[in-house]
């Protein structure tokens, strides 16, 4: 706990468990050019959000039992502008994400996040989300298993005008309860968002749920694709049809 280490050009091979276990408040001051291979479990497990941010893409992960970066951190109160880097393997979001703090969260093009069953992303009002992928490198939010409505999707509350989701793929999510019909992306209250070139689908319920009719004037959208949303592409929870 709280340890710091610079790790460059090292090989970890053949662990019966994890390659690296980052406990709470542990940090890499550098993590470059390393290879983690043939580990029975995950190559990296991180209990701390900041530990994930230390990783860089110029590392190699081969033939591990679960070739994902296991992120076990859910409640994140950002204290500065933050970038989640694209890695050569996906992140496994075992605990989902609850993100707050009045700063900008940038997700790099090509980032892949696979979510555990029943988890979600909860984006709070004060967060500016910049998930600006490209056609060649979309940002992927999906279930660990390729099942319809496997996880509970993105609960989006951000009121920041600069928030954007561009070339994002959001799949395998959506939930339905007695009080709320949830889509892969649920947009609430006074939220603002530019949503362009995204693919949304594989939901047993809806693609997008809008909390109220006033959101139709607060969401800028174009060139989005819905696929296999059994309940419909968009559900308006209240205020109109």
């Amino acid at each position: 706990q709280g340890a710091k280490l610079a790790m460059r050009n090292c090989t970890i091979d053949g662990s019966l468990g994890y390659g690296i276990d980052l406990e709470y408040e542990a940090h890499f001051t550098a993590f470059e050019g390393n290879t983690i291979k043939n580990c029975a479990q995950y190559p990296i497990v991180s209990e701390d959000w900041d530990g994930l941010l230390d990783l860089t893409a110029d590392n190699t992960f081969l033939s591990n039992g679960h070739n994902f970066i296991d992120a076990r951190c859910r409640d994140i109160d950002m204290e500065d502008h933050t970038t989640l880097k694209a890695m050569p393997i996906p992140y496994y979001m075992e605990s989902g994400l609850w993100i707050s703090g009045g700063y900008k969260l940038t997700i790099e093009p090509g980032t892949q996040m696979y979510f555990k069953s029943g988890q979600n992303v909860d984006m709070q009002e004060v967060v500016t989300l910049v998930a600006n992928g490209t056609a060649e490198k979309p940002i992927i939010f999906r279930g660990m298993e390729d099942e319809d409505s496997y996880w509970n999707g993105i609960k989006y509350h951000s009121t920041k005008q600069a928030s954007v989701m561009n070339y994002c793929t959001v799949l395998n999510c959506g939930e339905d309860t007695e009080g709320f019909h949830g889509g892969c992306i649920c947009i609430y209250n006074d939220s603002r968002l530019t949503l362009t070139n995204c693919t949304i689908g594989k939901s047993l319920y809806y693609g997008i749920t809008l909390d109220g009719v006033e959101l139709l004037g607060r969401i800028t959208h174009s060139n989005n694709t819905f696929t296999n949303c059994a309940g419909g592409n968009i559900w308006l929870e209240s205020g109109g049809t």
Side-chain angles (χ1 to χ4, degrees), residues 35 38 107 197 227:
T35 298
N38 301 318
I107 302 175
N197 303 306
T227 178

Side-chain angles (χ1 to χ4, degrees), residues 170-233:
V170 187
L171 299 176
N172 314 117
C173 42
E175 59 177 331
D176 193 62
T177 67
E178 183 177 347
F180 188 72
H181 304 289
C184 286
I185 305 175
C186 299
I187 304 177
Y188 295 88
N189 302 325
D190 298 322
S191 300
R192 289 186 286 189
L193 176 66
T194 296
L195 185 73
T196 51
N197 303 306
C198 292
T199 299
I200 300 160
K202 292 192 175 182
S203 171
L204 292 176
Y205 308 108
Y206 302 95
I208 293 176
T209 297
L210 299 176
D211 198 30
V213 69
E214 69 280 356
L215 284 166
L216 295 173
R218 303 175 69 88
I219 307 300
T220 301
H221 54 89
S222 65
N223 201 38
N224 299 297
T225 301
F226 296 87
T227 178
N228 297 328
C229 298
N233 294 342

Side-chain angles (χ1 to χ4, degrees), residues 66-178:
H66 305 290
N67 212 33
F68 296 80
I69 295 167
D70 187 3
R72 297 182 177 177
C73 41
R74 175 171 173 79
D75 296 338
I76 296 129
D77 186 5
M78 294 190 301
E79 297 179 352
D80 202 346
H81 298 308
T82 299
T83 299
L84 182 65
K85 302 180 185 71
M87 298 294 289
I89 57 175
Y91 296 94
Y92 173 39
M93 314 309 293
E94 185 171 345
S95 304
L97 289 173
W98 187 92
I99 303 172
S100 63
Y103 295 97
K104 178 171 66 176
L105 171 62
T106 300
I107 302 175
E108 285 189 345
T111 300
Q112 301 178 66
M113 287 172 277
Y114 285 50
F115 287 82
K116 185 178 180 179
S117 177
Q119 299 297 339
N120 63 43
V121 177
D122 202 324
M123 193 74 55
Q124 295 299 295
E125 291 89 342
V126 293
V127 177
T128 300
L129 172 65
V130 180
N132 193 8
T134 67
E136 295 76 23
K137 294 182 177 181
I139 296 167
I140 296 174
F141 303 82
R142 55 153 289 177
M144 190 66 166
E145 302 293 337
D146 188 17
E147 294 180 12
D148 294 358
S149 292
Y150 180 82
W151 64 294
N152 291 345
I154 298 173
K155 314 301 183 186
Y156 183 86
H157 301 266
S158 173
T159 61
K160 302 303 180 184
Q161 190 169 356
S163 289
V164 60
M165 292 180 68
N166 180 46
Y167 283 108
C168 292
T169 298
V170 187
L171 299 176
N172 314 117
C173 42
E175 59 177 331
D176 193 62
T177 67
E178 183 177 347

Side-chain angles (χ1 to χ4, degrees), residues 6-12 30-36 58-60:
M7 185 172 176
R8 299 182 178 90
N9 305 311
C10 295
T11 298
I12 296 174
F31 189 80
E32 303 163 1
N34 302 297
T35 298
I36 305 178
D58 58 341
N59 297 279
T60 302

Side-chain angles (χ1 to χ4, degrees), residues 15-71:
S15 170
L16 288 175
Y18 309 121
I20 295 173
D21 187 350
L22 285 168
E23 295 192 0
Y24 185 66
E25 294 184 346
H27 290 280
F28 285 113
T29 55
F31 189 80
E32 303 163 1
N34 302 297
T35 298
I36 305 178
K37 60 183 181 178
N38 301 318
C39 298
Q41 297 292 326
Y42 297 93
I44 298 177
V45 173
S46 182
E47 310 285 345
D48 191 282
W49 171 253
D50 290 338
L52 295 179
L53 307 180
D54 298 330
L55 306 176
T56 57
D58 58 341
N59 297 279
T60 302
F61 306 93
L62 295 172
S63 301
N64 299 293
H66 305 290
N67 212 33
F68 296 80
I69 295 167
D70 187 3

